[in-house]
């Protein structure tokens, strides 16, 4: 049978992306146009500005993704698009384009959940994951731990009750006077100070739940910062103390899940999975429980369309094509 060749489109937040993936796993091209510079002066993503920029960026990105892959429209066997969750206007730009292409080219459309795609990124350019698996999505909008029986089969183990981990990085950066997005800046400042910075107390829920919560941590940083005019070094130490706490919050929950579920693999994705301290702490946990640690290269932890094309190809191979009436949805969890 001919290998599938799927064009993926991603526009859920502030990255416009297009990619061509063959056989659901092999990345032939992946192009991303980030809007970070555009949103930086507002300290966060402005939804209407994001939608307009996606509209402008898509035509050239799609042409570039096809060119890099050495493919033409006529070679494609399917179109995949992120349809949920995300900013509704931003999502709609990708969904509308994908529907138009599917209709015009007479090839099936796959609607992809962005969180699931972040986990699927760990399947690209490598051998398939073994199940059962544990999946951690740590992005700007979500922090969720799932028990995975297969792609498409999830049971929630823990989720955040307030801020997502990436959102906490962004908010803490803002209150320390650092630029958006907060994750990469905080990681850079924290790196030389992590060993001496200590950490804030960890969150424990009385009901025994393993859920995450990051809003108290943000308040702790705000209170510490309000104590006086921070020197640069004090600010960096506070950033490192914050990052150490996030790492530890993730570590204890992942450890509890590994202990309970004893999965064969541990998958992680989302922008916060770019963070070196997070990666090495969770790699240690996975190794301690003999779970195969599968985290994509940082390029594919952040938003991209290869993860969308790959998962879309899997859905199409399983007969899960979307109707042309499919729409974008701002919310949407796994399972
Ligand atoms: O997955 P992503 O690109 O977009 C969403 O789906 O939300 O994640 C973006 C988030 C932002 O909050 C950003 O601050 C965070 O990922 N992030 C990081 C790092 N790089 C990006 N957080 C910690 N350390 C990083 N190196
Ligand atoms: Zn994302």
């Amino acid at each position: 049978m001919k290998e599938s060749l799927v064009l993926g489109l991603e526009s859920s937040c502030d990255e416009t992306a297009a990619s061509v993936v063959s056989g659901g796993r092999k990345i032939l091209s992946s192009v991303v146009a980030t809007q970070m510079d555009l949103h930086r002066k507002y300290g966060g993503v402005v939804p209407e500005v994001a939608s307009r920029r996606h509209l402008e960026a898509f035509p050239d990105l799609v042409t570039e993704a096809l060119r890099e892959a050495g493919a033409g429209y006529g070679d494609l066997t399917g179109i995949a698009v992120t349809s949920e969750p995300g900013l509704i206007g931003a999502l709609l730009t990708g969904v509308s384009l994908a529907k138009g292409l599917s209709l015009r080219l007479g090839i099936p459309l796959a609607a992809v959940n962005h969180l699931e795609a972040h986990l699927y990124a760990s399947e690209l350019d490598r051998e398939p994951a073994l199940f059962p698996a544990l999946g951690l999505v740590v992005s700007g909008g979500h922090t969720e731990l799932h028990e995975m029986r297969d792609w498409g089969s999830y049971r929630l183990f823990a989720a955040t009750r307030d801020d997502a981990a990436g959102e906490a990085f962004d908010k803490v950066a803002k209150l320390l006077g650092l630029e958006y997005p907060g994750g990469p800046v905080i990681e850079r400042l924290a790196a030389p100070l992590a060993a001496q910075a200590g950490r804030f107390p960890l969150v424990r829920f009385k009901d025994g739940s393993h859920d995450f919560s990051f809003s108290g941590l943000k308040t702790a940083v705000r209170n510490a910062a309000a104590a006086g005019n921070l020197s640069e070094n004090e600010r960096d130490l506070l950033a490192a103390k914050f990052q150490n706490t996030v790492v530890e919050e993730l570590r204890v929950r992942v450890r509890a899940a590994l202990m309970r579920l004893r999965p064969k693999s541990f998958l992680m994705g989302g922008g916060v999975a770019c963070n070196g301290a997070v990666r090495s702490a969770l790699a240690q946990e996975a190794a301690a429980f003999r779970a195969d640690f599968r985290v994509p290269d940082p390029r594919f932890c952040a938003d991209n369309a290869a993860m969308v094309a790959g998962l879309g190809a899997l859905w199409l191979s399983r007969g899960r094509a979307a109707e042309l009436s499919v729409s974008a949805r701002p919310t949407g969890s796994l399972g």
Side-chain angles (χ1 to χ4, degrees):
M1 206 174 78
K2 209 176 119 209
E3 286 265 277
S4 65
L5 195 71
V6 171
L7 171 69
L9 304 176
E10 158 65 40
S11 63
S12 62
C13 190
D14 59 349
E15 257 98 31
T16 325
S19 161
V20 178
V21 167
S22 122
R25 323 187 68 84
K26 188 170 177 352
I27 304 170
L28 299 187
S29 65
S30 174
V31 287
V32 181
T34 182
Q35 308 178 356
M36 265 169 211
D37 288 344
L38 195 64
H39 299 289
R40 190 163 282 140
K41 60 176 179 283
Y42 305 106
V45 180
V46 185
E48 288 319 310
V49 175
S51 312
R52 203 169 320 131
R53 186 51 75 92
H54 287 309
L55 271 181
E56 290 162 1
F58 261 134
D60 285 351
L61 278 183
V62 169
T63 305
E64 181 59 18
L66 287 169
R67 197 193 58 76
E68 255 184 46
Y73 283 112
D75 301 319
L76 297 174
T77 61
I79 305 286
V81 65
T82 301
S83 62
E84 62 174 42
L87 301 169
I88 187 71
L91 286 166
L92 277 170
T93 65
V95 170
S96 311
L97 175 57
K99 285 187 193 180
L101 286 170
S102 160
L103 194 62
R104 172 74 181 82
L105 300 170
I107 54 177
L109 174 70
V112 166
N113 177 291
H114 183 80
L115 309 185
E116 205 167 2
H118 269 308
L119 292 176
Y120 190 85
S122 64
E123 292 283 80
L124 298 169
D125 286 341
R126 61 181 298 186
E127 76 291 355
L130 294 176
F131 291 98
L134 179 68
L136 173 66
V137 183
V138 263
S139 67
H142 297 84
T143 303
E144 297 183 1
L145 249 182
H146 292 272
E147 177 182 4
M148 305 171 66
R149 297 264 145 213
D150 184 12
W151 293 108
S153 170
Y154 312 96
R155 198 159 65 192
L156 186 67
F157 183 83
T160 182
R161 295 200 179 178
D162 39 61
D163 294 346
E167 188 180 357
F169 270 97
D170 296 337
K171 287 179 173 170
V172 161
K174 198 169 184 175
L175 66 89
L176 293 180
L178 303 169
E179 67 183 18
Y180 172 85
V185 201
I186 290 181
E187 178 172 17
R188 182 167 48 79
L189 299 180
L193 299 169
Q196 66 190 90
R199 64 166 169 77
F200 290 102
L202 300 182
V203 172
R204 285 283 166 278
F205 288 109
K206 289 206 179 73
D207 62 8
S209 143
H210 293 288
D211 279 349
F212 299 91
S213 167
F214 292 105
S215 74
L217 174 58
K218 181 186 61 195
T219 307
V221 176
R222 178 179 293 124
N223 291 342
N229 264 346
L230 293 180
S231 69
E232 238 174 57
N233 187 251
E234 286 165 337
R235 180 200 65 189
D236 296 355
L237 268 170
L238 197 48
K241 188 171 177 180
F242 160 78
Q243 181 177 285
N244 284 350
T245 314
V246 174
V247 169
E248 213 46 35
E249 292 284 15
L250 294 173
R251 184 206 288 275
V252 295
R253 268 109 181 138
V254 165
R255 182 181 297 165
L258 288 166
M259 202 177 293
R260 168 99 64 88
L261 308 171
R262 302 282 169 171
K264 291 191 174 131
S265 334
F266 171 55
L267 284 49
M268 172 163 75
V272 181
C274 296
N275 187 287
V278 169
R279 293 168 82 92
S280 63
L282 299 188
Q284 275 173 8
E285 293 304 319
F289 288 89
R290 296 182 205 291
D292 183 20
F293 180 64
R294 299 171 60 97
V295 181
D297 184 81
R299 231 181 104 206
F300 294 102
C301 288
D303 287 349
N304 67 87
M307 63 186 193
V308 179
L311 185 58
L314 179 68
W315 291 158
L316 294 178
S317 74
R318 290 184 179 181
R320 264 186 64 176
E323 300 286 334
L324 277 179
S325 58
V326 71
S327 194
R329 291 202 314 157
T331 54
S333 61
L334 303 185

